[in-house]
Amino acid sequence: MKNIKLVLIAFIICFSITGCGFKKQQSVVPNNNNLDNVITEDNVITEDTKKEEDNEKPNQGSTNVSNASLKINQAQYNNVVITFPATKESFNGTNWTWDSKYATKDLATGYTTSGGRIGSYPGGVVVGVINVSGQTKKIEDCTIDSATFYNPNDGSENVYFIGGINYKSTENDVTTIMSSLGYKNAKVSKYENSVYYKYFVNDDQNNFKNYIEFYFYNSIIKSVTVRASI
């Protein structure tokens, strides 16, 4: 009887071991068609992470927010801020070259004249200069008291002005931004497809020698003139 019990016990132990061996271990394999639902430590997006990613997105639109602090007598091109009245050194870093046909001519003291183009047609800027030094000087060494920036219309140059206005800005952009900055007394001139918006320093039309003027043709900015007399 004792031997029979030992045999039965051995049989039960053996069956239990082999039975466990036939039990398959289940594994969870993600469906390749639904990988977006698989959450790992690397792809968990918290609310803070989402906010950081949103903040890194570049600002879109015709007005560049980073240039919004520019004043009525300033322009910015190629990360160079030009403040008028200006000098030839004010354009250092713009990669624009002053046309030597004008730059090297003499200008007597007390006179003002066109200084020609700095940069290349159809873009760049045509400047006006004045000599108040008391002696004759080369045009390029005189004070630049006005400048008309020309839109080349090919996207190769984009100059920024007061409030971030640039060549991509619309008429509505210009009037809205200028109004928000306190310039509500613009002088508006219209002729066929041309529209001029002239804004004066301190919003006072008596400052006729200190202004910025936006010229639109067929609703596109063709040029912007900045004048700051000395």
Side-chain angles (χ1 to χ4, degrees), residues 21-204:
F22 286 105
K23 186 177 180 180
K24 294 182 179 180
Q25 182 178 357
Q26 294 183 345
S27 61
V28 178
V29 179
N31 185 343
N32 289 333
N33 295 326
N34 195 26
L35 291 178
D36 291 341
N37 294 329
V38 179
I39 300 177
T40 66
E41 186 177 351
D42 292 333
N43 67 5
V44 173
I45 300 178
T46 64
E47 189 65 25
D48 290 338
T49 303
K50 189 175 186 303
K51 288 180 181 179
E52 289 177 1
E53 291 178 350
D54 289 341
N55 290 335
E56 290 176 357
K57 293 179 181 178
N59 179 69
Q60 298 179 352
S62 62
T63 302
N64 190 324
V65 175
S66 64
N67 308 105
S69 62
L70 291 173
K71 306 302 182 183
I72 195 170
N73 65 327
Q74 293 181 318
Q76 180 174 332
Y77 174 66
N78 201 26
N79 293 322
V80 177
V81 175
I82 305 162
T83 301
F84 296 94
T87 64
K88 65 179 180 182
E89 287 77 20
S90 302
F91 290 82
N92 289 345
T94 62
N95 297 324
W96 283 339
T97 302
W98 201 329
D99 185 351
S100 59
K101 176 182 176 181
Y102 293 89
T104 57
K105 284 186 176 180
D106 289 335
L107 182 64
T109 184
Y111 283 84
T112 181
T113 189
S114 171
R117 187 180 299 269
I118 301 177
S120 301
Y121 179 86
V125 53
V126 173
V127 298
V129 301
I130 185 170
N131 183 3
V132 292
S133 67
Q135 58 186 358
T136 298
K137 299 179 72 171
K138 299 294 184 184
I139 284 178
E140 64 181 357
D141 296 322
C142 296
T143 300
I144 302 170
D145 64 347
S146 66
T148 300
F149 295 83
Y150 287 92
N151 181 2
N153 297 316
D154 59 4
S156 60
E157 299 174 0
N158 201 19
V159 184
Y160 293 91
F161 304 94
I162 180 173
I165 295 170
N166 58 77
Y167 294 151
K168 297 178 182 178
S169 300
T170 64
E171 289 184 55
N172 184 64
D173 289 334
V174 169
T175 55
T176 299
I177 291 173
M178 294 303 291
S179 179
S180 71
L181 295 173
Y183 294 91
K184 305 178 186 296
N185 192 27
K187 180 179 179 181
V188 182
S189 303
K190 297 183 179 181
Y191 178 74
E192 294 184 349
N193 297 328
S194 299
V195 185
Y196 295 83
Y197 295 90
K198 183 181 286 188
Y199 295 89
F200 301 87
V201 170
N202 299 325
D203 203 30
D204 183 356

